[in-house]
């Protein structure tokens, strides 16, 4: 396995399959019709609950004359943060079928909103489950499903004397600073793939005068 060295630490260029997961590359849409009702599905790649809230608000503005805006999302490497919402439909007839569709496709960091325009004829719970599941699946069938790498964001704080060793760690590990500030004090924000987090923390902890912090939430 290839490795490289900086200072006293040796790093392995890990390609860890455990920090890989599937999501969608860009928004996509789907549609299902039954007895006059239309189910418009909107799939989005998302990173957090704030994005979910924003996209749901935008959908309600765009489709303001619809009857329901049901949704489900999964977030995190293993989809450990999730939610399903029926938005007034009978319990577990809308949000759960959407969520189960995400599970069956094995996707995370994704939101699906299904907008329903009522056609005047009730579909019954089995009909609703089929409609929401089929509409969600249509959006995913129209999406570009890709493999992504889960990462963790670190913020480093250090003095001018530590600039060179800190930058060397980033260079040797193939990391690019997302943000950097070399003002009165020095700071760098960097995303590190989960498979390298242990080595990264060990390396920066070995630099005197360099401190790091993370919000603990993986991206």
């Amino acid at each position: 396995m290839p490795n490289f060295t900086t200072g006293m630490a040796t790093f392995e260029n890990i390609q860890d399959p455990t920090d890989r997961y599937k999501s969608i590359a860009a928004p996509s849409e789907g549609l299902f019709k039954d007895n006059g009702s239309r189910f418009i599905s909107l799939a989005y790649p998302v990173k957090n609950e704030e994005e979910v809230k924003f996209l749901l608000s935008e959908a309600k503005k765009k489709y303001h004359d619809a009857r329901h805006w049901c949704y489900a999302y999964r977030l995190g490497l293993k989809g450990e943060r999730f939610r399903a919402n029926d938005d007034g439909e009978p319990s577990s007839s809308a949000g759960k079928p959407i969520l189960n569709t995400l599970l069956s496709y094995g996707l995370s960091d994704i939101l699906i909103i299904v907008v329903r325009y009522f056609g005047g004829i009730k579909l019954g719970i089995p009909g609703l489950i089929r409609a929401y599941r089929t509409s969600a699946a249509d959006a995913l069938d129209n999406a570009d499903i890709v493999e992504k790498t889960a990462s963790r964001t670190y913020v480093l704080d250090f003095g001018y004397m530590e600039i060179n060793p800190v930058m060397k760690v980033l260079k040797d590990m193939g990391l690019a600073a997302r943000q950097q500030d070399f003002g009165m004090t020095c700071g760098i924000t960097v995303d590190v793939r989960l498979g390298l987090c242990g080595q990264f923390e060990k390396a920066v902890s070995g630099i005197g005068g360099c401190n790091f912090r993370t919000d603990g939430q993986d991206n």
Side-chain angles (χ1 to χ4, degrees), residues 21-92:
Y21 66 101
K22 291 192 298 181
S23 189
I24 60 174
S28 64
E29 296 187 10
L31 177 66
F32 179 76
K33 298 180 181 180
D34 189 9
N35 281 327
S37 284
R38 286 188 298 136
F39 298 82
I40 303 169
S41 51
L42 312 167
Y44 303 97
V46 291
K47 283 292 187 182
N48 50 54
E49 287 84 356
E50 288 70 28
E51 290 185 23
V52 170
K53 292 177 183 178
F54 172 77
L55 291 168
L56 184 60
S57 175
E58 291 298 297
K60 288 182 176 181
K61 291 177 184 177
K62 182 176 181 179
Y63 302 98
H64 59 88
D65 52 344
R67 177 70 66 90
H68 301 281
W69 302 266
C70 306
Y71 67 92
Y73 65 80
R74 297 184 76 215
L75 298 170
L77 175 61
K78 298 180 180 179
E80 59 271 17
R81 305 196 313 275
F82 61 89
R83 185 178 180 186
N85 189 295
D86 295 314
D87 191 41
E89 294 281 34
S91 178
S92 299

Side-chain angles (χ1 to χ4, degrees), residues 6 18 60 67 77-78 84 103 110 126 141 144 157 174 186 192 199 202:
T6 178
T18 64
K60 288 182 176 181
R67 177 70 66 90
L77 175 61
K78 298 180 180 179
L103 287 166
I110 182 172
D141 288 340
D144 181 15
D157 297 304
C186 302
V192 182
Q199 295 182 61
K202 183 178 180 180

